[in-house]
Amino acid sequence: MSAADLKSSTNRKSEFIIVGGGIIGSAIAYYLAREGKDVLLLEADRMGSGSSGAAAGMLAPRLETFTAPALKEMAERSHRLMLPLIDELSKLSPIDVAVNHSGFVVPFTDSRMKNEHSIHQAYWNQFKLRTEIPAICEQAEGAFYFSEELQLVPSQFVKALAEGAKAKGARYVEQQSVTSLDIQDGVICGVETKEGMYCADQVIIASGLGTNDVLSTWGIDLRTVPVKGEIAAVSLPGLRLDHTIYTHDIYLVPKPGDEIWIGATSIPFDNSKHVSVQGIVRLLREASRWLPELEQASLVRSWAGLRPHTIDGLPYIGKYEGVKGLYIAAGHYRNGILLSAVTGEIISRLVAGESEEELGITEFSPMRVMQKGSVVH
């Protein structure tokens, strides 16, 4: 829907307004619309144009490092929701999210590592590893195989969620930057944009690094800092790679069109989206160490995204207690794609009346970082 379609006062009113059209905002829109809610999503740029569209799309809770057990539990819960969600979306939209079920492989060069596998992984000896990944380097002594880990194309996933929400009755408007909140007597009434006011009973801020820009107009301080990540896409016809290779230093993710995405750097407090020669050289060098044939590959493109990192590494998910009807879902750092399904589900249940205690999200409450007396309404 275009901004022109929303000029009437009727179209500018909704039960819920979601600020932010990345993976988190799109997931929330879908889960709310699925419950029959009247939903309007406002995106400052294009859907998925921020960190969501720059991600590699890995859904691997058993391989990620989490800052708290509650975050790991939430990631595993989201992982369980993913395939049913993708199946639902496939019935509502023709958009293919290109989900890859081949699993993740963690190779190693020290044979002693084979004694460290757990119930969540299978051990592959050198013969099995070379059978599955013929291009693996000679130094690889074996690998651990995680069969349940998934990956997909994030930009397509955002589109599928948005179109799924639309099919359920939600509306979304691009190029609509929210500049302020409309709060009256401690109650949210809507949002202000450069195009005018939008009214709603409840507002959910899910705009990643832009979250604090919206909230700070009312003295609400929920800061996130950018952590830049760079990715290179390469292609080498004839190179067989079905599984995602995941190591301490690098990941290699096979994508449609014979591409392999190699990532990612991690540069805190860098707010630029330019790709550095240093970063790409490091990625290509590390990737070629595991798959030497990649030295002959073509560099298709490279890009950078900015991950929103909170002060304690935990996302902000929950009510803002100082304003009735205001909710936050932001700061998912490098796990936005993975946590999207569970965040959408949690917010839909939270606005329906379940408490943060019942939902097990008290550790993620936005109120945990608020200073007493810092907000005036």
Side-chain angles (χ1 to χ4, degrees):
M1 182 176 290
S2 67
D5 295 327
L6 286 172
K7 287 195 180 291
S8 74
S9 59
T10 301
N11 285 335
R12 287 178 174 269
K13 294 180 180 179
S14 59
E15 185 180 2
F16 291 90
I17 284 177
I18 300 168
V19 181
I23 190 67
I24 298 299
S26 298
I28 293 170
Y30 176 73
Y31 274 87
L32 287 176
R34 192 175 71 170
E35 296 299 317
K37 306 300 184 183
D38 177 24
V39 178
L40 172 63
L41 185 152
L42 302 176
E43 163 55 34
D45 195 346
R46 297 291 181 188
M47 298 293 288
S49 60
S51 58
S52 300
M58 296 185 294
L59 310 173
R62 294 180 182 88
L63 287 168
E64 286 288 347
T65 299
F66 299 101
T67 54
L71 187 56
K72 181 176 178 62
E73 290 172 11
M74 192 164 74
E76 291 174 342
R77 179 172 151 198
S78 196
H79 186 270
R80 291 192 294 271
L81 293 171
M82 274 296 174
L83 289 180
L85 172 60
I86 291 168
D87 184 60
E88 283 180 30
L89 295 175
S90 70
K91 296 177 173 64
L92 298 170
S93 165
I95 297 170
D96 180 13
V97 304
V99 62
N100 183 306
H101 300 262
S102 296
F104 282 45
V105 175
V106 181
F108 52 81
T109 57
D110 185 343
S111 60
R112 292 173 294 182
M113 288 290 295
K114 66 182 181 182
N115 298 318
E116 298 188 14
H117 70 281
S118 70
I119 59 172
H120 297 299
Q121 62 204 36
Y123 166 64
W124 284 0
N125 61 24
Q126 194 175 63
F127 176 79
K128 175 64 173 176
L129 175 58
R130 296 195 188 291
T131 300
E132 296 293 334
I133 308 178
I136 197 73
C137 67
E138 293 183 0
Q139 292 81 10
E141 294 285 345
F144 298 129
Y145 174 56
F146 294 76
S147 62
E148 297 182 3
E149 311 304 79
L150 308 167
Q151 54 99 350
L152 46 69
V153 176
S155 59
Q156 295 296 95
F157 192 28
V158 173
K159 292 176 183 177
L161 284 165
E163 290 304 304
K166 185 177 178 181
K168 294 289 186 179
R171 299 166 289 155
Y172 63 87
V173 189
E174 299 176 311
Q175 304 293 331
Q176 201 71 183
S177 179
V178 171
T179 57
S180 182
L181 303 175
D182 180 15
I183 300 172
Q184 299 178 23
D185 298 323
V187 178
I188 195 76
C189 297
V191 300
E192 182 75 35
T193 75
K194 293 179 181 179
E195 301 291 331
M197 184 71 68
Y198 290 84
C199 299
D201 299 322
Q202 301 183 74
V203 173
I204 302 157
I205 309 297
S207 46
L209 283 170
T211 294
N212 207 51
D213 294 339
V214 177
L215 297 175
S216 63
T217 59
W218 278 87
I220 303 172
D221 189 4
L222 281 180
R223 298 180 191 178
T224 56
V225 298
V227 180
K228 185 166 83 171
E230 299 160 313
I231 295 180
V234 302
S235 179
L236 182 62
L239 175 62
R240 174 190 156 198
L241 182 63
D242 301 317
H243 310 86
T244 295
I245 296 176
Y246 192 102
T247 76
H248 175 71
D249 298 315
I250 201 166
Y251 52 75
L252 297 92
V253 190
K255 296 292 184 180
D258 292 324
E259 289 188 359
I260 298 173
W261 292 5
I262 303 168
T265 59
S266 184
I267 310 169
F269 305 103
D270 189 335
N271 207 33
S272 70
K273 289 189 177 181
H274 76 268
V275 180
S276 69
V277 171
Q278 180 184 35
I280 296 304
V281 166
R282 185 185 75 77
L283 292 175
L284 296 177
R285 181 177 63 246
E286 290 295 326
S288 298
R289 188 166 76 87
W290 290 104
L291 297 181
E293 291 180 34
L294 287 182
E295 292 182 353
Q296 308 304 316
S298 299
L299 179 61
V300 179
R301 64 188 180 283
S302 59
W303 63 92
L306 304 178
R307 313 176 185 102
H309 194 284
T310 65
I311 59 174
D312 59 4
L314 300 178
Y316 303 127
I317 304 174
K319 294 181 181 180
Y320 177 70
E321 298 294 348
V323 179
K324 184 179 179 181
L326 180 59
Y327 300 82
I328 316 293
H332 291 68
Y333 185 39
R334 56 179 288 152
N335 292 304
I337 308 298
L338 172 59
L339 295 172
S340 59
V342 75
T343 302
E345 183 201 52
I346 284 171
I347 293 295
S348 70
R349 293 169 62 182
L350 189 62
V351 301
E354 293 188 54
S355 69
E356 293 181 357
E357 289 77 13
E358 289 173 318
L359 293 169
I361 59 168
T362 54
E363 287 189 51
F364 310 118
S365 170
M367 306 311 294
R368 71 184 188 271
V369 297
M370 303 305 299
Q371 295 179 353
K372 292 183 179 179
S374 65
V375 181
V376 179
H377 303 301

